Amino acid sequence: MGRYFGTDGVRGLANVDVTAELALDLSVAAAHVLGDAGAFSGHRPRAVVGRDPRASGEFLSAAVVAGLASAGVDVSDVGVLPTPGIAHVVAATGADLGVVLSASHNPVPDNGIKFFARGGHKLPDEVEDAIEGRLREPWARPTGAGVGRVTADAGAGARYVDHLLATLPHRLDGLRVVVDCAHGAAWSVGPEALRRAGADVVVMGAEPDGLNTNDGVGSTHLEPLQRAVVEHRADAGIAFDGDADRCLAVDAAGRVVDGDQIMGVLALALAERGQLPGSVLVATVMSNLGLLLAMRAAGVEVLQTAVGDRYVLEAMREGGYALGGEQSGHVVMLEHQTTGDGVLTALHLLARVAEVGRPLAEVASVVQRLPQVLVNVPRVDKSRASSDEHVSAAVAAASAELGETGRVLLRPSGTEPLVRVMVEAGDEAQARAVADRLAGVVGERLAL
């Protein structure tokens, strides 16, 4: 697999790329790296391990537990729980380490391994590099009382729901909500949290069998939810992905409410309550210009980062900001959670709808999304995307043509010889025309 850690842990085809042997070895190496760094000083080390429902998570979590315990770490196994729920348990219990087995929105054959440090925060890049560097090294194995002990924590889900409900500014009484759990990790805690918050809940995608996670349901397949919301005459629909670290919404007419609109709604709600530090929302460069324009009109600054939730989190923690996220529905509310949390996001979005007493469509209309066209230009020298004079001139000309109601962005792929041309404009025809024209220039000038 080359370097094991990517932007969100280790991920690949389960039992081929992500094997039981790798899971065990990574866990042992993580224990050694953290131990040598002093993370376990003065106490017996403790870890929390959990997973989403996909079948491969059963043997992978067993391997992780075995690796940690063999390295002298006591393990609390929380079973199936959303990724943010596991992060919360790590923080709430003072554990030294958390491990999640999940491939998030990927199809069932994939799986992944993600580590959290004490406090429920993702490991820094340098710690992940150190873990890779110590894979399969010789080591002195503890014996007797030195080996780790393993216990099951059946109450973790209930405590996580209690935490979510304690953050709510307003109950959801009077709202009918359809929730699609993607046959994933939120299949139980998602509907429970919404019901306890007062909503009338219609549940779908909540029968995980180990092989159906994300299969035609959830945030990557919104059509069933859109139909169900209309059929049940619901006020809103909520869709989680496999590990419930993100969510998207659907209004009463079945129209999608994306992450940009959700962030806009939450930002204005927090600003109104004086809970948006610096009047700043953190988003990536891929957020729709409509979000930037809406926030500017409301006096909220949008701080943009590179694409990826880790960059959003990094900017939030450095600046002391409370809200950030991505268009995909990965939203971080740092006052309440250390990572993106789909169930938390859904609760706060619906709480705003209940609080103002207006339909979701009207509440979300604060962000008017501009048409956005994305064209991938393959087989190009992506390293010259920002330095070629002709490309730069074409981008400048397009930006001038679009003015303040449009935007151009060139993004080199991180893994392929490809450049992504993204254009937003007042109407789709103009966005398409400008994107195609720029893509032609990029393809001609940067061809390999």
Side-chain angles (χ1 to χ4, degrees):
M1 289 181 64
R3 187 179 188 276
Y4 289 107
F5 285 96
T7 57
D8 200 26
V10 177
R11 194 174 293 183
L13 185 60
N15 217 27
V16 175
D17 301 320
V18 182
T19 63
E21 295 88 347
L22 177 62
L24 190 149
D25 290 340
L26 284 170
S27 301
V28 170
H32 291 164
V33 167
L34 292 175
D36 289 351
F40 306 152
S41 297
H43 65 278
R44 189 174 172 94
R46 294 183 294 120
V48 175
V49 177
R51 62 183 180 89
D52 73 18
R54 63 190 77 208
S56 58
E58 297 170 0
F59 74 79
L60 288 173
S61 63
V64 166
V65 169
L68 290 172
S70 72
V73 179
D74 290 337
V75 180
S76 175
D77 188 347
V78 300
V80 173
L81 198 64
T83 291
I86 297 165
H88 169 71
V89 174
V90 172
T93 61
D96 304 289
L97 178 66
V99 190
V100 180
L101 291 307
S102 175
S104 189
H105 58 279
N106 285 29
V108 161
D110 289 349
N111 215 325
I113 306 170
K114 184 188 304 185
F115 291 92
F116 287 113
R118 183 184 289 128
H121 299 286
K122 291 184 178 181
L123 294 182
D125 289 345
E126 58 269 21
V127 176
E128 293 181 342
D129 290 340
I131 291 171
E132 286 202 21
R134 296 184 63 173
L135 282 174
R136 305 176 188 92
E137 67 177 1
W139 55 292
R141 299 170 183 268
T143 59
V147 302
R149 304 299 299 272
V150 181
T151 57
D153 183 357
R159 297 196 307 275
Y160 170 54
V161 172
D162 288 343
H163 163 70
L164 294 174
L165 294 174
T167 72
L168 270 186
H170 197 282
R171 286 184 54 81
L172 312 185
D173 300 276
L175 293 182
R176 169 173 280 194
V177 180
V178 180
V179 57
D180 182 347
C181 300
H183 298 305
W187 74 272
S188 176
V189 297
E192 180 185 355
L194 291 166
R195 286 195 187 101
R196 286 182 55 190
D200 174 14
V201 182
V202 177
V203 182
M204 56 187 293
E207 298 177 349
D209 61 10
L211 302 176
N212 59 0
T213 301
N214 299 321
D215 187 9
V217 290
S219 62
T220 53
H221 303 280
L222 291 173
E223 297 82 3
L225 176 63
Q226 291 172 295
R227 292 192 295 268
V229 168
V230 175
E231 177 186 344
H232 290 280
R233 298 182 179 180
D235 297 291
I238 295 293
F240 302 124
D241 63 339
D243 70 337
D245 67 348
R246 69 181 72 185
C247 82
L248 293 174
V250 171
D251 68 21
R255 293 180 295 253
V256 175
V257 177
D258 71 6
D260 284 337
Q261 292 171 294
I262 293 171
M263 285 191 289
V265 171
L266 297 182
L268 296 186
L270 289 172
E272 185 180 290
R273 293 193 288 269
Q275 297 173 348
L276 191 67
S279 291
V280 170
L281 166 67
V282 181
T284 76
V285 294
M286 288 303 290
S287 274
N288 193 278
L289 180 59
L291 173 64
L292 278 64
L293 295 175
M295 294 299 96
R296 184 187 304 164
V300 174
E301 177 189 352
V302 179
L303 175 63
Q304 292 187 278
T305 74
V307 176
D309 67 285
R310 66 166 48 217
Y311 302 111
V312 172
L313 265 168
E314 184 179 286
M316 292 178 68
R317 294 178 68 182
E318 286 180 358
Y321 304 126
L323 181 66
E326 298 182 283
Q327 193 179 62
S328 61
H330 193 280
V331 177
V332 182
M333 303 186 75
L334 207 50
E335 180 183 352
H336 308 305
Q337 183 57 282
T338 59
T339 187
D341 190 326
V343 183
L344 178 72
T345 301
L347 286 167
H348 280 256
L349 173 66
L350 295 171
R352 182 60 171 175
V353 172
E355 179 183 13
V356 299
R358 300 197 304 271
L360 174 59
E362 184 179 337
V363 172
S365 69
V366 64
V367 176
Q368 295 294 325
R369 292 176 295 188
L370 273 66
Q372 187 180 81
V373 173
L374 184 67
V375 179
N376 291 329
V377 186
R379 297 180 296 279
V380 293
D381 181 1
K382 62 185 179 182
S383 67
R384 295 193 292 119
S386 61
S387 60
D388 183 89
E389 293 182 2
H390 288 77
V391 171
S392 297
V395 169
S399 298
E401 175 186 339
L402 296 171
E404 292 190 358
T405 58
R407 186 167 65 115
V408 175
L409 179 67
L410 264 58
R411 282 188 58 232
S413 167
T415 57
E416 305 172 78
L418 179 146
V419 172
R420 295 182 172 89
V421 177
M422 190 272 282
V423 176
E424 292 168 338
D427 67 82
E428 188 162 0
Q430 183 185 26
R432 171 61 63 183
V434 173
D436 288 342
R437 186 167 72 243
L438 281 176
V441 174
V442 171
E444 179 182 344
R445 291 293 304 174
L446 307 184
L448 290 173

